[in-house]
Amino acid sequence: MNEEELAALRRAGAIAREARDLGASMIGEGVSLLEVAEEVESRIISLGARPAFPCNISINEVAAHFTPRTGDKMKFANGDLVKLDVGAHVDGFIGDTAVTVEVGTRNWTSLIESSAKGLAVAVEMIGEGVLLNTVGGAVDRAIRSNGHVPVANLTGHSMKRYNLHAGISVPSYDDGNVVKVPGDVVLAVEPFATNGAGQVKNSKPGNIYRIMRERELRDKAAAEHFQLLKENFGTLPFCERWATALDPKASVHLRMLVRHGLVFSYPMLVEVRGGKVSQKEHTVVIHDSRAEVTTQ
Ligand code: MN
Ligand code: MN
């Protein structure tokens, strides 16, 4: 990792953190999800970065992969447990960070603490040469000792330039995969904790998409829209709102592009037993025998 890349990673991390904190401070009863998402994303842009993915706002048993639609009227309600997940990139170098906020009540303080403890333990341990399954084991113990279980089928991930999920997984339990942290790598570490079964399943579409592959399409308008999406979002996730801002007919084209396998539609991830879910995430850059957190 050279100094330029490191500088971009640090800027992306600092901008993601600032946008995350702004978004978290806005969340309250009666506030619209759309307003928070738009504010987070425009702050990222005004600070000189780009969103690395749409602002994810996932509530209660929804663990991840929801963002509001154009004109969305959804509002936060008293008692909601809200995961706000924010990504910024500078020249493709990504900062990915998330926090959990409870609206109005204090019923889930300990659950919020569980994912925070899991993350703290992971960040403390992680470094070049460390076995990722042992990190996972420590995260698991931290969450269980706080009275909850980790969500086993959600993991952290390595990131590369313009690539959000670059191949290495950071588990939240000892999955038995003996993988050492390499010397030069960017890791998003993100334990999820729940009072449910500790698994998520796919649910309805969450308005978030990613380009999968190029293919011939008979529908000219949809094919043109695909090119527009490719030019604007490349390999990174985008959402219905961003596509509609480029073309008011985006929703129609998106349906077609998903049906024909050119675009992937992320399903919302929901806890299998309807348990409440908390999450905390930081980006850690491993370089020069150090583990540097860029998002705190
Ligand atoms: Mn994230
Ligand atoms: Mn992540």
Side-chain angles (χ1 to χ4, degrees):
M1 208 165 301
N2 65 40
E3 277 307 314
E4 248 172 57
E5 293 169 337
L6 207 45
L9 284 164
R10 285 175 177 145
R11 258 189 81 211
I15 290 170
R17 176 200 61 214
E18 184 170 334
R20 176 202 69 207
D21 290 347
L22 169 71
S25 75
M26 291 175 69
I27 294 170
E29 189 180 359
V31 173
S32 91
L33 276 66
L34 181 60
E35 194 185 327
V36 172
E38 285 182 334
E39 202 60 38
V40 164
E41 291 162 5
S42 56
R43 178 61 64 93
I44 289 169
I45 292 165
S46 72
L47 290 170
R50 307 286 307 171
F53 51 83
C55 175
N56 280 226
I57 305 177
S58 308
I59 299 178
N60 295 334
E61 74 280 7
V62 182
H65 297 168
F66 179 80
T67 198
R69 299 178 54 80
T70 305
D72 207 309
K73 297 277 183 278
M74 266 181 88
K75 288 177 167 45
F76 296 105
N78 195 47
D80 277 351
L81 188 65
V82 183
K83 279 75 62 187
L84 181 75
D85 196 333
V86 174
H89 77 85
V90 171
D91 209 17
F93 296 97
I94 303 168
D96 181 4
T97 183
V99 72
T100 302
V101 175
E102 184 174 352
V103 181
T105 49
R106 284 180 171 275
N107 299 323
W108 305 109
T109 309
S110 148
L111 184 57
I112 292 169
E113 199 178 81
S114 281
S115 49
K117 282 184 170 174
L119 178 62
V121 146
V123 167
E124 174 73 25
M125 278 181 79
I126 222 157
E128 186 178 345
V130 173
L131 295 173
L132 285 166
N133 63 309
T134 67
V135 174
V139 170
D140 186 27
R141 284 190 297 278
I143 292 174
R144 285 179 192 275
S145 72
N146 208 50
H148 301 106
V149 294
V151 176
N153 60 344
L154 288 175
T155 68
H157 48 97
S158 58
M159 300 189 285
K160 286 184 174 164
R161 196 175 182 195
Y162 291 109
N163 184 355
L164 200 54
H165 290 261
I168 299 173
S169 292
V170 184
S172 294
Y173 71 104
D174 186 345
D175 62 0
N177 287 325
V178 181
V179 176
K180 276 185 185 171
V181 176
D184 251 357
V185 72
V186 184
L187 297 175
V189 185
E190 51 180 316
F192 290 76
T194 182
N195 62 354
Q199 292 276 335
V200 289
K201 61 179 181 192
N202 291 345
S203 178
K204 290 176 288 185
N207 309 315
I208 302 170
Y209 303 89
R210 180 170 44 80
I211 284 175
M212 281 216 290
R213 59 183 163 148
E214 194 136 14
R215 252 175 81 179
E216 286 287 317
L217 259 193
R218 226 177 291 163
D219 186 322
K220 273 247 169 65
E224 272 175 31
H225 191 70
F226 180 81
Q227 293 305 322
L228 193 65
L229 296 172
K230 206 174 87 173
E231 281 161 29
N232 280 274
F233 310 122
T235 50
L236 292 172
F238 60 92
C239 57
E240 175 278 332
R241 287 182 285 113
W242 299 354
T244 299
L246 295 170
D247 175 353
K249 288 221 170 76
S251 278
V252 178
H253 300 322
L254 274 170
R255 263 198 296 280
M256 169 83 72
L257 294 170
V258 170
R259 183 143 40 91
H260 288 271
L262 284 81
V263 167
F264 175 72
S265 166
Y266 288 85
M268 289 193 279
L269 301 174
V270 178
E271 215 287 324
V272 292
R273 217 184 279 156
K276 296 283 193 281
V277 179
S278 72
Q279 172 202 21
K280 193 169 181 190
E281 177 176 28
H282 278 310
T283 296
V284 185
V285 180
I286 312 293
H287 68 96
D288 306 304
S289 307
R290 294 178 52 199
E292 179 179 341
V293 180
T294 58
T295 49
Q296 81 188 349

